Amino acid sequence: MNIDQLRQLLRTHGAGPEHEKLALRAWLQGRSLDAGHSRPDQFFPACLRAALPALEQQFDAIARVRTAHPAADGATRLLVDLSDGQSVESVLLPREGVCVSTQAGCAVGCVFCMTGREGVKRHLGSAEIIAQVVLARARGHRVRKVVFMGMGEPAHNLDNVLDSIHWLGTAGGIGHKQLVFSTVGDRRAFERLPEGPVKPALALSLHTTKPQLRTELLPRAPRLSPAELVALAGEYARTTGYPVQYQWTLLAGINDGDDEVDAIARLLTGQYAVMNFIAFNPIPGSPLRRPELQRAAQMVRALRQRGVLAKLRHSAAQDVEGGCGQLRARSLSLA
């Protein structure tokens, strides 16, 4: 389900351009379709008013919360059912944010991520992506930031993701730099992100400075070297004026060595960027381990001393199914 289908649905029931705009804006804010006007009984045509209860049901059916899992850090991980029986995860973040999924599953196959173990089932339509924000708002969660860091690789579903970014950055009322497009790196994304009127911030999953190791960690990511990725991302940062947020999942004995710290410093010195280290979320049956907190802190300090902004990030809701995809995986195993 995409936004154009919702627009056509409204038109079928008599909505004109202004009625359509008002109804979609109200939906994006997590309210009833006629909540955007003080006198909808006078503003909406009679045929549209009569159809509103059925339309509300159709909009609500796009995505529904199956289970909610509050965490000690203030986040809440949601398992969300889509209308065709597929499910995805989203996370209500403590600081007025929400993390949304863009695919059911993922094709990249990162070795440290549960989501990619079963591959990709399908793309999410733009309405299904936005519906995760709508669900958050309808639950009373204030949303000022949306990160496209849930299940899926946004660059593989580019049309729908960019459409959702456009709507969230306009009728959805989200600041453009508070919309964060996360990717493993794809030339198509770098080409198209600067073209739209809503230009999101960029988060780039790097994870290592070594080309061969990156291929092993992200086996089906585009074959762009870390140096090429940093160059492409840096060009986008200059276009938008937003710093690039580099993502690095810390794996003990694999990508937490001093050689990586030295190479990060060489790559990012002088770049408008921040390096976000995130400790690996343990996956059942995986031999991968997260490094000690002390080691992660040492890496952050070493980079800061060399003029590179670095942070140790906390992965939200670690105490309720850990990393992205684990909640869905458990639900599938119980089905």
Coordinates of all heavy atoms in Angstrom, one line a residue, residues 107-180:
A107 N 17.9 -8.1 2.3 CA 18.7 -8.9 1.4 C 20.2 -8.7 1.6 O 20.9 -9.5 1.0 CB 18.3 -8.4 0.0
V108 N 20.6 -7.8 2.4 CA 22.0 -7.5 2.6 C 22.8 -8.7 3.3 O 23.9 -9.0 2.9 CB 22.3 -6.2 3.3 CG1 23.8 -5.9 3.4 CG2 21.7 -5.0 2.4
G109 N 22.1 -9.2 4.3 CA 22.7 -10.4 5.0 C 23.9 -10.1 5.9 O 24.8 -10.9 6.0
C110 N 23.9 -8.9 6.5 CA 24.9 -8.6 7.5 C 25.0 -9.7 8.5 O 24.0 -10.1 9.1 CB 24.6 -7.3 8.2 SG 24.4 -5.9 7.0
V111 N 26.2 -10.1 8.8 CA 26.4 -11.3 9.7 C 26.1 -11.0 11.1 O 25.8 -11.9 11.9 CB 27.9 -11.8 9.6 CG1 28.2 -12.2 8.2 CG2 28.9 -10.8 10.1
F112 N 26.0 -9.7 11.5 CA 25.7 -9.4 12.9 C 24.2 -9.0 13.1 O 23.9 -8.4 14.1 CB 26.6 -8.2 13.3 CG 26.7 -7.1 12.3 CD1 25.7 -6.1 12.2 CD2 27.8 -7.0 11.5 CE1 25.8 -5.1 11.2 CE2 27.9 -6.0 10.5 CZ 26.9 -5.1 10.4
C113 N 23.4 -9.2 12.1 CA 22.0 -8.8 12.1 C 21.1 -10.0 11.9 O 21.2 -10.7 11.0 CB 21.8 -7.7 11.0 SG 20.1 -7.1 11.0
M114 N 20.1 -10.1 12.8 CA 19.1 -11.1 12.7 C 18.1 -11.0 11.5 O 17.7 -11.9 10.9 CB 18.3 -11.2 14.0 CG 17.1 -12.2 14.0 SD 17.8 -13.9 14.1 CE 18.1 -14.0 15.9
T115 N 17.9 -9.7 11.1 CA 16.9 -9.5 10.1 C 17.2 -10.2 8.8 O 16.3 -10.7 8.1 CB 16.7 -8.0 9.8 OG1 16.4 -7.3 11.0 CG2 15.7 -7.7 8.8
G116 N 18.4 -10.2 8.4 CA 18.8 -10.7 7.0 C 18.9 -12.2 7.0 O 19.1 -12.8 5.9
R117 N 18.7 -12.9 8.1 CA 18.9 -14.4 8.0 C 17.9 -15.1 7.1 O 18.2 -16.1 6.6 CB 18.8 -14.9 9.5 CG 20.0 -14.6 10.3 CD 20.1 -15.4 11.6 NE 21.4 -15.3 12.2 CZ 21.8 -16.0 13.2 NH1 21.0 -16.9 13.7 NH2 23.0 -15.9 13.8
E118 N 16.7 -14.6 7.0 CA 15.7 -15.2 6.1 C 15.5 -14.5 4.8 O 14.6 -14.8 4.0 CB 14.4 -15.3 6.9 CG 14.4 -16.2 8.1 CD 13.0 -16.3 8.7 OE1 12.0 -15.9 8.1 OE2 13.0 -16.8 9.8
G119 N 16.4 -13.5 4.5 CA 16.3 -12.8 3.3 C 15.2 -11.8 3.3 O 14.6 -11.5 4.4
V120 N 14.9 -11.2 2.2 CA 13.8 -10.2 2.1 C 12.5 -10.8 1.6 O 12.5 -11.6 0.7 CB 14.2 -9.0 1.2 CG1 14.4 -9.4 -0.2 CG2 13.2 -7.9 1.3
K121 N 11.4 -10.5 2.3 CA 10.1 -11.1 1.9 C 9.4 -10.1 0.9 O 8.9 -10.6 -0.1 CB 9.2 -11.3 3.1 CG 9.8 -12.2 4.2 CD 10.0 -13.6 3.6 CE 10.6 -14.5 4.7 NZ 10.9 -15.8 4.1
R122 N 9.4 -8.8 1.2 CA 8.9 -7.9 0.2 C 9.2 -6.5 0.7 O 9.6 -6.2 1.8 CB 7.4 -8.0 0.0 CG 6.5 -7.6 1.2 CD 5.1 -7.6 0.8 NE 4.2 -7.3 1.9 CZ 3.8 -6.0 2.3 NH1 4.4 -5.0 1.7 NH2 2.9 -5.9 3.3
H123 N 9.1 -5.5 -0.2 CA 9.2 -4.1 0.1 C 8.0 -3.7 0.8 O 6.9 -4.2 0.6 CB 9.3 -3.2 -1.2 CG 10.5 -3.5 -2.0 ND1 11.8 -3.8 -1.4 CD2 10.7 -3.5 -3.3 CE1 12.7 -3.9 -2.4 NE2 12.1 -3.7 -3.6
L124 N 8.1 -2.6 1.7 CA 7.0 -2.0 2.2 C 6.6 -0.8 1.3 O 7.4 -0.1 0.8 CB 7.3 -1.4 3.7 CG 6.9 -2.4 4.8 CD1 7.7 -3.7 4.7 CD2 7.2 -1.7 6.1
G125 N 5.3 -0.6 1.2 CA 4.8 0.6 0.5 C 5.0 1.9 1.3 O 5.2 1.8 2.5
S126 N 5.0 3.0 0.7 CA 5.2 4.3 1.4 C 4.2 4.4 2.5 O 4.5 4.9 3.6 CB 5.2 5.5 0.5 OG 4.0 5.5 -0.3
A127 N 2.9 4.0 2.3 CA 1.9 4.1 3.3 C 2.2 3.2 4.5 O 1.9 3.6 5.7 CB 0.5 3.8 2.8
E128 N 2.8 2.0 4.3 CA 3.1 1.1 5.3 C 4.3 1.6 6.1 O 4.4 1.4 7.4 CB 3.4 -0.3 4.7 CG 2.2 -1.0 4.1 CD 2.6 -2.2 3.4 OE1 3.6 -2.2 2.6 OE2 1.9 -3.3 3.6
I129 N 5.2 2.3 5.5 CA 6.3 2.9 6.2 C 5.8 4.0 7.1 O 6.1 4.1 8.3 CB 7.4 3.4 5.2 CG1 8.0 2.3 4.4 CG2 8.5 4.2 6.0 CD1 8.9 2.7 3.3
I130 N 5.0 4.9 6.5 CA 4.5 6.1 7.3 C 3.6 5.6 8.4 O 3.5 6.2 9.5 CB 3.7 7.0 6.3 CG1 4.7 7.7 5.4 CG2 2.9 8.0 7.1 CD1 4.1 8.5 4.3
A131 N 2.8 4.5 8.2 CA 1.9 4.0 9.2 C 2.6 3.7 10.5 O 2.0 3.7 11.6 CB 1.2 2.7 8.6
Q132 N 3.9 3.3 10.4 CA 4.6 3.1 11.7 C 4.7 4.3 12.5 O 4.7 4.3 13.7 CB 6.0 2.5 11.4 CG 5.9 1.1 10.7 CD 7.2 0.6 10.1 OE1 8.1 0.3 10.9 NE2 7.3 0.7 8.8
V133 N 4.9 5.5 11.8 CA 4.9 6.8 12.5 C 3.6 7.1 13.0 O 3.4 7.6 14.2 CB 5.5 7.9 11.6 CG1 5.5 9.2 12.3 CG2 6.8 7.5 11.1
V134 N 2.5 6.8 12.2 CA 1.1 7.1 12.6 C 0.8 6.3 13.9 O 0.2 6.8 14.8 CB 0.2 6.7 11.5 CG1 -1.3 6.8 11.9 CG2 0.4 7.7 10.3
L135 N 1.2 5.0 13.9 CA 0.9 4.2 15.1 C 1.6 4.8 16.3 O 1.0 4.8 17.4 CB 1.5 2.8 14.9 CG 0.7 1.9 13.9 CD1 1.4 0.6 13.7 CD2 -0.7 1.6 14.5
A136 N 2.8 5.3 16.2 CA 3.5 5.9 17.3 C 2.8 7.1 17.8 O 2.5 7.2 19.0 CB 4.9 6.3 16.9
R137 N 2.3 7.9 16.9 CA 1.6 9.1 17.3 C 0.3 8.8 17.9 O -0.2 9.4 18.9 CB 1.5 10.1 16.1 CG 2.8 10.8 15.8 CD 2.7 11.6 14.5 NE 3.7 12.6 14.5 CZ 4.1 13.4 13.5 NH1 3.5 13.2 12.3 NH2 5.0 14.3 13.5
A138 N -0.4 7.8 17.4 CA -1.7 7.4 17.9 C -1.6 6.9 19.3 O -2.6 6.9 20.0 CB -2.4 6.4 16.9
R139 N -0.5 6.3 19.6 CA -0.2 5.8 21.0 C 0.2 6.9 22.0 O 0.5 6.7 23.1 CB 0.9 4.7 21.0 CG 0.5 3.5 20.2 CD 1.6 2.5 20.1 NE 2.0 2.0 21.4 CZ 1.5 0.9 21.9 NH1 0.6 0.2 21.2 NH2 2.0 0.4 23.1
G140 N 0.2 8.2 21.5 CA 0.6 9.3 22.3 C 2.0 9.6 22.4 O 2.5 10.4 23.2
H141 N 2.8 8.9 21.5 CA 4.3 9.1 21.5 C 4.6 10.3 20.6 O 4.2 10.4 19.4 CB 5.0 7.9 20.9 CG 6.5 8.0 21.0 ND1 7.2 7.9 22.1 CD2 7.4 8.1 20.0 CE1 8.5 8.0 21.8 NE2 8.6 8.1 20.5
R142 N 5.2 11.3 21.2 CA 5.5 12.5 20.4 C 6.7 12.2 19.4 O 7.7 11.6 19.9 CB 5.9 13.7 21.3 CG 6.1 15.0 20.6 CD 6.2 16.1 21.6 NE 6.2 17.4 20.9 CZ 6.3 18.6 21.6 NH1 6.4 18.6 22.9 NH2 6.3 19.7 20.9
V143 N 6.5 12.5 18.2 CA 7.5 12.1 17.2 C 8.1 13.4 16.5 O 7.3 14.1 15.8 CB 6.9 11.2 16.1 CG1 8.0 10.9 15.0 CG2 6.4 10.0 16.7
R144 N 9.3 13.7 16.8 CA 10.0 14.8 16.1 C 11.2 14.3 15.2 O 11.8 15.1 14.6 CB 10.5 15.8 17.2 CG 9.5 16.5 17.9 CD 10.0 17.7 18.7 NE 9.0 18.5 19.2 CZ 9.3 19.6 19.9 NH1 10.5 20.0 20.1 NH2 8.3 20.4 20.4
K145 N 11.4 13.0 15.3 CA 12.5 12.4 14.5 C 12.1 11.1 14.0 O 11.6 10.3 14.8 CB 13.8 12.4 15.4 CG 15.1 11.9 14.6 CD 16.3 12.0 15.5 CE 17.5 11.6 14.7 NZ 18.8 11.9 15.5
V146 N 12.5 10.7 12.8 CA 12.2 9.4 12.2 C 13.5 8.9 11.6 O 14.1 9.6 10.8 CB 11.1 9.5 11.1 CG1 10.9 8.1 10.6 CG2 9.8 10.0 11.7
V147 N 13.9 7.7 12.1 CA 15.1 7.1 11.5 C 14.7 5.9 10.8 O 14.0 5.0 11.3 CB 16.2 6.8 12.6 CG1 16.7 8.1 13.3 CG2 15.6 5.9 13.7
F148 N 15.3 5.8 9.6 CA 15.0 4.6 8.7 C 16.1 3.6 8.9 O 16.9 3.3 8.0 CB 14.9 5.1 7.2 CG 13.7 6.0 7.0 CD1 13.8 7.4 7.3 CD2 12.6 5.6 6.4 CE1 12.8 8.2 7.1 CE2 11.5 6.4 6.2 CZ 11.6 7.8 6.5
M149 N 16.0 3.0 10.1 CA 17.1 2.1 10.5 C 16.5 0.8 11.0 O 17.2 0.0 11.7 CB 17.9 2.7 11.7 CG 18.7 4.0 11.3 SD 19.6 4.6 12.7 CE 20.4 6.1 12.0
G150 N 15.3 0.5 10.8 CA 14.7 -0.8 11.2 C 15.0 -1.9 10.2 O 16.0 -1.9 9.5
M151 N 14.1 -2.8 10.0 CA 14.3 -3.9 9.1 C 14.4 -3.4 7.7 O 13.6 -2.6 7.2 CB 13.1 -4.9 9.3 CG 13.0 -5.5 10.6 SD 11.6 -6.5 10.9 CE 11.9 -7.8 9.6
G152 N 15.3 -4.0 6.9 CA 15.4 -3.7 5.5 C 16.5 -2.7 5.2 O 17.1 -2.0 6.0
E153 N 16.9 -2.6 3.9 CA 17.8 -1.7 3.4 C 17.1 -0.6 2.6 O 16.5 -0.9 1.5 CB 18.9 -2.4 2.5 CG 19.7 -1.6 1.5 CD 20.4 -0.4 2.3 OE1 21.0 -0.7 3.3 OE2 20.3 0.7 1.8
P154 N 17.0 0.6 3.1 CA 16.2 1.6 2.4 C 16.6 1.8 0.9 O 15.7 2.2 0.1 CB 16.5 2.9 3.2 CG 16.7 2.3 4.6 CD 17.5 1.0 4.4
A155 N 17.8 1.7 0.6 CA 18.2 1.9 -0.8 C 17.7 0.9 -1.8 O 17.6 1.1 -3.0 CB 19.8 1.9 -0.9
H156 N 17.2 -0.3 -1.2 CA 16.6 -1.3 -2.1 C 15.2 -1.0 -2.4 O 14.6 -1.7 -3.2 CB 16.8 -2.7 -1.4 CG 18.2 -3.2 -1.4 ND1 18.6 -4.4 -0.7 CD2 19.3 -2.7 -1.9 CE1 19.9 -4.6 -0.9 NE2 20.4 -3.6 -1.6
N157 N 14.6 -0.1 -1.6 CA 13.2 0.2 -1.7 C 13.1 1.8 -1.9 O 12.3 2.4 -1.2 CB 12.4 -0.3 -0.5 CG 10.9 -0.1 -0.6 OD1 10.4 0.1 -1.7 ND2 10.2 -0.1 0.5
L158 N 13.9 2.3 -2.8 CA 14.1 3.7 -2.8 C 12.9 4.5 -3.1 O 12.7 5.6 -2.5 CB 15.2 4.0 -3.8 CG 16.1 5.2 -3.7 CD1 16.6 5.4 -2.3 CD2 17.2 5.2 -4.7
D159 N 12.1 4.1 -4.1 CA 10.9 4.9 -4.5 C 10.0 5.1 -3.3 O 9.5 6.2 -3.0 CB 10.2 4.3 -5.6 CG 10.9 4.4 -6.9 OD1 11.8 5.3 -7.0 OD2 10.6 3.7 -7.9
N160 N 9.7 4.0 -2.6 CA 8.7 4.1 -1.5 C 9.3 4.9 -0.3 O 8.6 5.6 0.4 CB 8.3 2.7 -1.0 CG 7.3 2.1 -2.0 OD1 6.3 2.7 -2.3 ND2 7.6 0.9 -2.5
V161 N 10.6 4.7 0.0 CA 11.3 5.4 1.1 C 11.3 6.9 0.8 O 11.0 7.7 1.7 CB 12.7 4.8 1.4 CG1 13.4 5.6 2.4 CG2 12.6 3.3 1.8
L162 N 11.7 7.3 -0.4 CA 11.8 8.7 -0.7 C 10.4 9.3 -0.7 O 10.2 10.5 -0.3 CB 12.5 8.9 -2.0 CG 13.9 8.5 -2.1 CD1 14.5 8.8 -3.5 CD2 14.7 9.3 -1.1
D163 N 9.4 8.6 -1.1 CA 8.0 9.1 -1.0 C 7.6 9.3 0.4 O 7.0 10.3 0.7 CB 7.1 8.1 -1.7 CG 5.7 8.7 -2.0 OD1 5.6 9.9 -2.2 OD2 4.7 7.9 -2.1
S164 N 7.9 8.3 1.3 CA 7.6 8.5 2.7 C 8.3 9.7 3.3 O 7.8 10.4 4.1 CB 7.8 7.2 3.5 OG 9.2 6.9 3.5
I165 N 9.6 9.8 2.9 CA 10.4 11.0 3.4 C 9.7 12.3 3.0 O 9.6 13.2 3.8 CB 11.8 10.9 3.0 CG1 12.6 9.8 3.7 CG2 12.5 12.2 3.1 CD1 13.9 9.5 3.2
H166 N 9.3 12.3 1.8 CA 8.6 13.6 1.3 C 7.4 13.9 2.1 O 7.2 15.0 2.6 CB 8.2 13.4 -0.2 CG 7.4 14.5 -0.7 ND1 7.9 15.7 -1.1 CD2 6.0 14.6 -0.8 CE1 6.9 16.5 -1.5 NE2 5.8 15.9 -1.3
W167 N 6.5 12.9 2.4 CA 5.3 13.2 3.1 C 5.6 13.5 4.6 O 4.9 14.4 5.1 CB 4.3 12.0 3.0 CG 3.6 12.0 1.6 CD1 4.0 11.4 0.5 CD2 2.4 12.7 1.3 NE1 3.1 11.6 -0.5 CE2 2.1 12.5 0.0 CE3 1.6 13.5 2.0 CZ2 1.0 13.0 -0.7 CZ3 0.5 14.1 1.4 CH2 0.2 13.8 0.1
L168 N 6.5 12.8 5.2 CA 6.8 13.1 6.6 C 7.4 14.4 6.7 O 7.2 15.1 7.8 CB 7.7 12.0 7.1 CG 7.1 10.6 7.3 CD1 8.2 9.5 7.6 CD2 6.1 10.6 8.5
G169 N 8.2 14.9 5.7 CA 8.9 16.2 5.8 C 8.0 17.3 5.4 O 8.4 18.5 5.5
T170 N 6.8 17.0 4.9 CA 5.9 18.1 4.5 C 4.6 18.0 5.4 O 4.6 18.6 6.5 CB 5.5 18.0 3.0 OG1 5.1 16.7 2.7 CG2 6.7 18.3 2.2
A171 N 3.6 17.2 5.0 CA 2.4 17.1 5.8 C 2.6 16.5 7.2 O 1.9 16.8 8.1 CB 1.4 16.3 5.0
G172 N 3.7 15.7 7.3 CA 4.0 15.0 8.6 C 4.6 15.9 9.6 O 4.7 15.6 10.8
G173 N 5.1 17.1 9.2 CA 5.7 18.1 10.1 C 7.0 17.7 10.7 O 7.4 18.3 11.8
I174 N 7.8 16.8 10.1 CA 9.1 16.4 10.7 C 10.2 17.3 10.0 O 10.2 17.4 8.8 CB 9.4 14.9 10.4 CG1 8.3 14.0 10.9 CG2 10.7 14.5 11.1 CD1 8.1 14.0 12.4
G175 N 11.1 17.8 10.8 CA 12.2 18.6 10.3 C 13.0 17.7 9.3 O 13.3 16.6 9.6
H176 N 13.5 18.3 8.2 CA 14.2 17.5 7.2 C 15.4 16.8 7.8 O 15.7 15.7 7.5 CB 14.5 18.4 6.0 CG 13.3 18.9 5.3 ND1 13.4 19.6 4.2 CD2 12.0 18.9 5.7 CE1 12.1 20.0 3.8 NE2 11.3 19.6 4.7
K177 N 16.2 17.5 8.6 CA 17.4 16.9 9.1 C 17.1 15.9 10.2 O 18.0 15.2 10.7 CB 18.4 17.9 9.5 CG 18.0 18.7 10.7 CD 19.1 19.7 11.1 CE 18.8 20.6 12.3 NZ 19.9 21.5 12.6
Q178 N 15.8 15.8 10.6 CA 15.4 14.9 11.6 C 14.8 13.6 11.0 O 14.3 12.7 11.7 CB 14.4 15.5 12.6 CG 14.8 16.7 13.4 CD 16.0 16.4 14.2 OE1 16.1 15.3 14.8 NE2 17.0 17.3 14.3
L179 N 14.9 13.5 9.7 CA 14.6 12.3 8.9 C 15.9 11.7 8.5 O 16.7 12.3 7.8 CB 13.8 12.7 7.7 CG 12.4 13.2 8.0 CD1 11.8 13.9 6.7 CD2 11.4 12.2 8.4
V180 N 16.2 10.5 9.0 CA 17.6 10.0 8.8 C 17.5 8.7 8.0 O 17.0 7.7 8.4 CB 18.2 9.6 10.2 CG1 19.7 9.1 10.0 CG2 18.2 10.9 11.1

